[in-house]
Amino acid sequence: MAIITPINSDFTHSEPALTTRKLTLAYDQAIVLNELDLAIPSGKITALVGSNGCGKSTLLRGLARLLKPIKGTVYLDSASIFKLSTKEVAKRLGMLPQSPVAPEGLTVRELVAQGRYPHQGWLQQWSEEDENFTKQALAITNMTELAERPLDSLSGGQRQRAWIAMALAQNTAILLLDEPTTFLDLAYQIEILDLLYDLNQVEGRTIIMVLHDLNQACRYADFVIALRQGQIVAQGIPADVMTEGTVREVFGLESRIVKDPVAGTPMCIPISRRSHPLTSNH
Amino acid sequence: MTNSWIVIRTQKSLLSMRIDRRVPWVLLALIIMTLMIMVISIGYGEYPISPLNVIKTILGLSTNNPDYNFVIHTLRLPRVITAFLVGTALAIAGTIMQGLTRNPLAAPEIIGVEAGAGLFAVTIIVLFPSVPVFFLPIAAFTGAFIAAALVYLLAWANGSSPIRLILVGIGVGAIASAFTSVMITFGEISDVSQALVWLAGSVYGRTWEHVQALLPWLILFIPASLLLARELNTLNLGDEIARGLGSRVEWQRGLLLITCVALSGASVAAVGTIGFVGLMAPHLARQLVGNAHEGLVPTSALVGGLIVSFSDLLGRSLFAPIELPCGVVTAAVGAPYFLYLLYRNRNA
């Protein structure tokens, strides 16, 4: 992976990056999240975890103002996100949905350049700044050489890197990602997560992502929020959140928590019917 | 940074833009080809005129033949210009529709514009044959707008969605076509044959008045489509991404739909239903200049103009002296092209 030089160093703040107050989100009257109070730390990596349908993706869409709450609101630096113009929000907060699809034939460079949209206007359609951030985003994600290739000719991992590059070109202090590693091979998953980790470490960007894999969440996140049926079951640093009790409550699964032999973070080993150690008799 | 874009920036950084490197050359080539077709088309007919004399007459140079002036300026030039303008308008409408719906098989037809226009025009021809002919385009345009508005409203549920627009559009279009068939079935035979010619889409007998009726719409909405091209790039990535990038999705989509309806509605009103241009032109243009709509919209417009101009010339010359309406020619080429696209889409 390319070495990242900081583009912006003013991303770090001590106050929470995003706060929700009584946030209630629903799809067609069916309430998914009810009166959620939440503070997402600034300059940190936050992982949202939980079982399927627990509302973690819904929460992420709510935080990115893609879903209008029926009650409550989201605060971005103490201003309600729905009071700000959508372009203003887009300069500070980028969102990458789960497995987005690009139009046929679109090249990587065209896609990444789209990330500059909130910074452009009728007259300023391609400033030098736009060009520099696009160039940098391609370099950071190691996509410079593939820039002229159509997206549909790339592998899953390369494609995901291109989308992340688009979000980087947007140059926002906050980056929201919905399961950025789904459908990727393990090696690509680690590559993407390492890239996000570097972005956080070097530039101090706040990263909030939905992750399916508990152990990856524990390894990469500073802050973990565990959800079950639209309620927060536990939140805090991985060592506090990741307990056998939490896993039971969130996933309905018995497990043992051990120390990740590589990273030292908590690691969840599920207990299943096929759990007794192999013996020589077999 | 790249050799695939041409970047234009003013010194005091007031203005900046980029465009695909291929665009200027492609546009130039298309303009030359279109002009050539136009000159041939104007010269062709029962009273043939050599290309040189066509150019001379249009430029106002003397040709020693006073007939040329009448034949060209009154009979043939307005027809050729109408064909070109209708082609550009339909092509832009198609480009917008394909960009909005993210569906390469979309065309202006799918939001019911042509079916609505057809129903209104045929109703007027069959039920009120005494109504003067100049009223026909107004009725067609009204029909186009009502059908599109109906589709948009019926497809609205907590916001518009491209897929609902397509489905409702097909439904409304089918209903309108059904009523058109009823009119054709029960109308007087002479009225019906007139209605059928209109439905087939022909630039036959078009005069400067038709050009004048068409021009205001194009002068207003072609620049609008060029200004909105940037928004199409963003919407083309899907609603979620576009919203995340700060696009006011519903607002932009509304503006683009109005542009699409106005351009295709004005075309249908002027010449009847000329199908498949809005489908083919954007595809051919995309192969020429790529996906970025800043270059795609003007390229597609010229490709569309070229297609209709050429179709009209073919329609007049293929089975001369019998004249095929150019809507029949575009359909004869367009339908197989549509099948080819379907096939390629499925096997992509």
Side-chain angles (χ1 to χ4, degrees), chain B residues 11 18 30 49 77 109 111-112 128 139 143 153 180 203 206 210 212 226 229 258 260 287 289 306 325 338:
Chain B
Q11 275 196 328
R18 69 182 157 88
L30 284 169
I49 304 169
L77 191 56
E109 287 96 325
I111 44 167
F128 312 100
L153 291 177
T180 308
V203 287
R206 292 302 181 265
H210 289 97
Q212 275 168 19
L226 293 173
I258 289 174
C260 172
Q287 280 171 359
V289 298
L306 184 63
F338 181 74

Short mmCIF file of all heavy atoms in Angstrom, two decimals, chain B residues 11 18 30 49 77 109 111-112 128 139 143 153 180 203 206 210 212 226 229 258 260 287 289 306 325 338:
data_model
loop_
_atom_site.label_atom_id
_atom_site.label_comp_id
_atom_site.label_asym_id
_atom_site.label_seq_id
_atom_site.Cartn_x
_atom_site.Cartn_y
_atom_site.Cartn_z
N GLN B 11 -7.35 32.25 -16.15
CA GLN B 11 -6.20 32.61 -15.33
C GLN B 11 -6.55 32.91 -13.88
O GLN B 11 -5.89 32.46 -12.96
CB GLN B 11 -5.50 33.82 -15.95
CG GLN B 11 -4.52 33.40 -17.03
CD GLN B 11 -3.56 34.50 -17.37
OE1 GLN B 11 -3.92 35.67 -17.30
NE2 GLN B 11 -2.34 34.15 -17.71
N ARG B 18 -13.62 20.42 -17.56
CA ARG B 18 -12.85 19.40 -18.27
C ARG B 18 -13.78 18.66 -19.20
O ARG B 18 -14.98 18.60 -19.00
CB ARG B 18 -12.21 18.44 -17.27
CG ARG B 18 -13.20 17.55 -16.58
CD ARG B 18 -12.53 16.65 -15.58
NE ARG B 18 -13.46 16.21 -14.57
CZ ARG B 18 -14.21 15.11 -14.69
NH1 ARG B 18 -14.14 14.37 -15.76
NH2 ARG B 18 -15.06 14.77 -13.74
N LEU B 30 -18.79 14.74 -36.77
CA LEU B 30 -20.24 14.58 -36.89
C LEU B 30 -20.86 15.75 -37.64
O LEU B 30 -21.76 15.57 -38.46
CB LEU B 30 -20.86 14.46 -35.49
CG LEU B 30 -20.67 13.11 -34.80
CD1 LEU B 30 -21.09 13.19 -33.34
CD2 LEU B 30 -21.47 12.02 -35.51
N ILE B 49 -30.65 18.59 -57.88
CA ILE B 49 -29.77 19.77 -57.91
C ILE B 49 -28.38 19.30 -57.46
O ILE B 49 -28.25 18.54 -56.49
CB ILE B 49 -30.28 20.86 -56.95
CG1 ILE B 49 -31.74 21.23 -57.28
CG2 ILE B 49 -29.41 22.10 -56.99
CD1 ILE B 49 -32.42 22.10 -56.26
N LEU B 77 -35.28 22.68 -47.73
CA LEU B 77 -34.47 23.06 -46.56
C LEU B 77 -35.21 22.93 -45.23
O LEU B 77 -34.68 22.33 -44.29
CB LEU B 77 -33.94 24.49 -46.75
CG LEU B 77 -32.86 24.94 -45.76
CD1 LEU B 77 -31.68 23.98 -45.77
CD2 LEU B 77 -32.39 26.35 -46.08
N GLU B 109 -39.59 7.18 -24.65
CA GLU B 109 -40.89 6.49 -24.71
C GLU B 109 -41.34 5.98 -23.35
O GLU B 109 -42.53 5.93 -23.08
CB GLU B 109 -40.82 5.27 -25.66
CG GLU B 109 -40.77 5.63 -27.13
CD GLU B 109 -39.35 5.66 -27.66
OE1 GLU B 109 -38.45 6.06 -26.90
OE2 GLU B 109 -39.14 5.29 -28.83
N ILE B 111 -41.40 7.09 -20.39
CA ILE B 111 -42.26 7.84 -19.48
C ILE B 111 -43.54 8.28 -20.17
O ILE B 111 -44.19 9.23 -19.76
CB ILE B 111 -41.58 9.04 -18.80
CG1 ILE B 111 -40.76 9.83 -19.80
CG2 ILE B 111 -40.75 8.63 -17.61
CD1 ILE B 111 -40.34 11.17 -19.25
N GLY B 112 -43.91 7.56 -21.22
CA GLY B 112 -45.24 7.72 -21.79
C GLY B 112 -45.41 8.92 -22.70
O GLY B 112 -46.52 9.22 -23.14
N PHE B 128 -62.34 14.77 -34.32
CA PHE B 128 -62.63 16.14 -34.76
C PHE B 128 -61.88 16.46 -36.05
O PHE B 128 -60.97 17.27 -36.06
CB PHE B 128 -62.22 17.16 -33.68
CG PHE B 128 -62.71 16.80 -32.31
CD1 PHE B 128 -61.87 16.19 -31.39
CD2 PHE B 128 -64.02 17.08 -31.93
CE1 PHE B 128 -62.33 15.86 -30.12
CE2 PHE B 128 -64.48 16.75 -30.65
CZ PHE B 128 -63.64 16.14 -29.76
N ALA B 139 -51.98 19.77 -29.59
CA ALA B 139 -52.63 18.64 -28.93
C ALA B 139 -51.60 17.58 -28.56
O ALA B 139 -51.61 17.04 -27.45
CB ALA B 139 -53.69 18.04 -29.86
N GLY B 143 -50.66 16.23 -24.87
CA GLY B 143 -50.75 14.81 -24.53
C GLY B 143 -49.45 14.30 -23.93
O GLY B 143 -49.46 13.56 -22.94
N LEU B 153 -46.40 11.39 -11.19
CA LEU B 153 -47.23 11.43 -9.98
C LEU B 153 -47.55 10.02 -9.49
O LEU B 153 -47.49 9.73 -8.29
CB LEU B 153 -48.52 12.21 -10.24
CG LEU B 153 -48.32 13.71 -10.45
CD1 LEU B 153 -49.64 14.38 -10.77
CD2 LEU B 153 -47.69 14.34 -9.20
N THR B 180 -55.49 4.57 -28.30
CA THR B 180 -55.17 4.97 -29.67
C THR B 180 -55.68 3.91 -30.65
O THR B 180 -56.26 4.24 -31.69
CB THR B 180 -53.64 5.14 -29.84
OG1 THR B 180 -53.18 6.01 -28.81
CG2 THR B 180 -53.30 5.73 -31.18
N VAL B 203 -41.20 13.50 -41.75
CA VAL B 203 -40.90 14.91 -41.88
C VAL B 203 -41.41 15.44 -43.22
O VAL B 203 -41.09 16.54 -43.62
CB VAL B 203 -39.37 15.19 -41.75
CG1 VAL B 203 -38.93 15.02 -40.31
CG2 VAL B 203 -38.58 14.29 -42.68
N ARG B 206 -42.74 19.31 -44.23
CA ARG B 206 -42.54 20.23 -43.12
C ARG B 206 -42.05 21.58 -43.64
O ARG B 206 -41.22 21.65 -44.55
CB ARG B 206 -41.54 19.65 -42.12
CG ARG B 206 -42.07 18.43 -41.37
CD ARG B 206 -43.36 18.76 -40.61
NE ARG B 206 -43.90 17.61 -39.87
CZ ARG B 206 -44.83 16.78 -40.34
NH1 ARG B 206 -45.30 16.94 -41.57
NH2 ARG B 206 -45.29 15.80 -39.59
N HIS B 210 -43.06 24.80 -39.01
CA HIS B 210 -42.73 23.69 -38.11
C HIS B 210 -41.40 23.96 -37.40
O HIS B 210 -41.24 23.70 -36.22
CB HIS B 210 -42.65 22.38 -38.88
CG HIS B 210 -43.98 21.87 -39.34
ND1 HIS B 210 -44.47 22.10 -40.61
CD2 HIS B 210 -44.94 21.18 -38.69
CE1 HIS B 210 -45.66 21.55 -40.72
NE2 HIS B 210 -45.98 20.99 -39.57
N GLN B 212 -40.15 26.83 -36.82
CA GLN B 212 -40.37 27.89 -35.84
C GLN B 212 -41.04 27.39 -34.57
O GLN B 212 -40.75 27.85 -33.47
CB GLN B 212 -41.23 29.00 -36.45
CG GLN B 212 -40.41 30.01 -37.23
CD GLN B 212 -41.27 30.92 -38.07
OE1 GLN B 212 -42.47 31.05 -37.82
NE2 GLN B 212 -40.67 31.54 -39.07
N LEU B 226 -27.32 20.83 -21.34
CA LEU B 226 -25.85 20.91 -21.24
C LEU B 226 -25.44 21.34 -19.83
O LEU B 226 -24.45 20.84 -19.28
CB LEU B 226 -25.30 21.88 -22.29
CG LEU B 226 -25.46 21.42 -23.74
CD1 LEU B 226 -25.04 22.52 -24.71
CD2 LEU B 226 -24.65 20.15 -24.00
N ALA B 229 -25.80 18.43 -17.43
CA ALA B 229 -25.03 17.23 -17.76
C ALA B 229 -24.22 16.75 -16.56
O ALA B 229 -24.13 15.56 -16.27
CB ALA B 229 -24.11 17.51 -18.94
N ILE B 258 -38.23 17.28 -16.77
CA ILE B 258 -38.93 18.33 -17.51
C ILE B 258 -38.21 18.59 -18.84
O ILE B 258 -38.83 18.70 -19.90
CB ILE B 258 -39.01 19.62 -16.67
CG1 ILE B 258 -40.00 19.41 -15.52
CG2 ILE B 258 -39.43 20.81 -17.53
CD1 ILE B 258 -40.07 20.56 -14.54
N CYS B 260 -36.36 16.54 -20.51
CA CYS B 260 -36.57 15.37 -21.37
C CYS B 260 -37.95 15.42 -22.01
O CYS B 260 -38.10 15.21 -23.22
CB CYS B 260 -36.41 14.11 -20.52
SG CYS B 260 -36.85 12.60 -21.35
N GLN B 287 -20.00 5.13 -27.14
CA GLN B 287 -18.86 4.42 -27.71
C GLN B 287 -17.84 5.39 -28.31
O GLN B 287 -16.65 5.09 -28.36
CB GLN B 287 -19.33 3.41 -28.77
CG GLN B 287 -19.86 2.16 -28.08
CD GLN B 287 -20.55 1.20 -29.03
OE1 GLN B 287 -20.66 1.45 -30.23
NE2 GLN B 287 -21.01 0.11 -28.49
N VAL B 289 -17.32 8.78 -27.22
CA VAL B 289 -16.66 9.72 -26.29
C VAL B 289 -16.71 9.30 -24.82
O VAL B 289 -16.29 10.07 -23.95
CB VAL B 289 -17.26 11.15 -26.40
CG1 VAL B 289 -17.05 11.71 -27.79
CG2 VAL B 289 -18.73 11.15 -26.03
N LEU B 306 -27.87 13.29 -37.05
CA LEU B 306 -27.35 12.57 -38.22
C LEU B 306 -28.24 11.38 -38.56
O LEU B 306 -28.57 11.15 -39.73
CB LEU B 306 -25.92 12.10 -37.92
CG LEU B 306 -25.16 11.41 -39.05
CD1 LEU B 306 -24.95 12.36 -40.21
CD2 LEU B 306 -23.81 10.89 -38.55
N PRO B 325 -41.83 6.85 -44.59
CA PRO B 325 -41.67 7.82 -43.50
C PRO B 325 -40.37 7.51 -42.75
O PRO B 325 -40.02 6.34 -42.59
CB PRO B 325 -42.88 7.56 -42.59
CG PRO B 325 -43.84 6.78 -43.39
CD PRO B 325 -43.04 6.04 -44.42
N PHE B 338 -31.91 -2.64 -30.87
CA PHE B 338 -32.44 -2.86 -29.54
C PHE B 338 -32.25 -4.32 -29.12
O PHE B 338 -31.82 -4.61 -28.00
CB PHE B 338 -33.94 -2.50 -29.53
CG PHE B 338 -34.60 -2.67 -28.20
CD1 PHE B 338 -34.37 -1.76 -27.18
CD2 PHE B 338 -35.47 -3.72 -27.96
CE1 PHE B 338 -34.99 -1.89 -25.95
CE2 PHE B 338 -36.10 -3.86 -26.73
CZ PHE B 338 -35.85 -2.95 -25.73
#
